[in-house]
Every structure is written in C-alpha cells, then in structure tokens.
Amino acid sequence: MGLDIPNNYRLIGATKLLAILVIIGLIQHIEMLVHALRFDLLGMAPVSVIILVLISGIIACTGLLLGKKWGFIPLYFYIPAVTLFLQFSLIPFIPNVFPAKYHDIAIMVINGLVLLYSVLLLLRRMETNYIQKY
C-alpha cells in the first residue's frame, strides 16, 4: 500500500509531522506564552527562558516544515525545555487521560518518546543521504 512511496518522501513527511506537533503545542498554549511575555523585573529569568523556548519552537517549525535537517537543532532544545519549564505535552490531550497524580510523569514520557522519535528520524534521514551519495 505505502510501499510505492520512496523512503526519502516518507522521512520528509514524518519530519513535517513533527513540525505539526510543535505548531499544535504552540497554538494550544499560546495564552500561557503571551501571559509569560508580560515583562516584570522579578520574573526576568523565566521570561527569558520562555522567549528562548518560543523562538526555538518557531525556528524548529520553519526548518521541519521546509524539510531541512537544521530544524532538528532547535527542536532538541525545544522538547526538553517545554517539558521541564512549561510542563506541557507535545501530543495534546493524552496526559489528561491519566489521573492528575500521574500527569507530570505522562508528560515526561510522551515528550521523551517524541524526542527519541525525532533523534531516530534524523538518523534515518542522515543514513539515506549517505546511501544516496554512494
């Protein structure tokens, strides 16, 4: 069924799927990001971190939607930063299935799996480029 599609196109499609996950996460939590961008002197460190997370998410979306490998670099900052600092899941609504007691663990596991998937995807893309050269 999907065997007639060249492997390189499937990898680019999976890369664009990662970009869509990041876009959904940014849109879903835009209110929290806008609220955090209101500058006050007492919370300058968290605001600067949130600005960096927002910028890295936008750059990652741009690179991944264009199918470029450099889009993975800001993604590798974005996923752990979103997990640790903002505590929201890249795959929305799944942590809500679990009880509130396990909500944070579910977010870490989901985002960890997305990070692992993105690393494997980049490795596969690099492998296909190596094979195509020779």
Side-chain angles (χ1 to χ4, degrees):
M1 180 163 223
L3 299 176
D4 57 339
I5 300 172
N7 193 23
N8 197 24
Y9 290 124
R10 283 190 267 164
L11 293 175
I12 291 173
T15 303
K16 291 182 181 192
L17 177 68
L18 277 174
I20 291 170
L21 285 176
V22 173
I23 290 170
I24 290 171
L26 288 171
I27 290 172
Q28 184 180 9
H29 296 91
I30 194 74
E31 181 181 319
M32 178 177 38
L33 294 173
V34 169
H35 177 67
L37 293 177
R38 296 183 184 157
F39 292 101
D40 58 342
L41 294 176
L42 297 176
M44 191 54 100
V47 169
S48 62
V49 169
I50 290 174
I51 290 172
L52 286 174
V53 170
L54 180 63
I55 290 171
S56 69
I58 293 169
I59 293 172
C61 288
T62 305
L64 293 174
L65 282 175
L66 293 174
K68 303 294 184 182
K69 288 183 209 160
W70 56 262
F72 286 95
I73 296 170
L75 183 70
Y76 294 149
F77 172 76
Y78 177 76
I79 294 174
V82 160
T83 305
L84 296 175
F85 299 120
L86 301 179
Q87 296 178 349
F88 65 82
S89 175
L90 290 174
I91 302 176
F93 309 115
I94 291 181
N96 296 335
V97 173
F98 298 100
K101 181 176 168 181
Y102 301 112
H103 192 262
D104 292 337
I105 294 171
I107 289 174
M108 287 192 311
V109 169
I110 291 168
N111 289 357
L113 289 174
V114 171
L115 181 64
L116 180 64
Y117 177 72
S118 66
V119 169
L120 292 174
L121 181 62
L122 179 61
L123 289 174
R124 289 290 298 259
R125 288 199 56 196
M126 292 171 69
E127 178 182 290
T128 58
N129 282 348
Y130 179 74
I131 292 171
Q132 288 176 356
K133 282 183 180 178
Y134 298 103

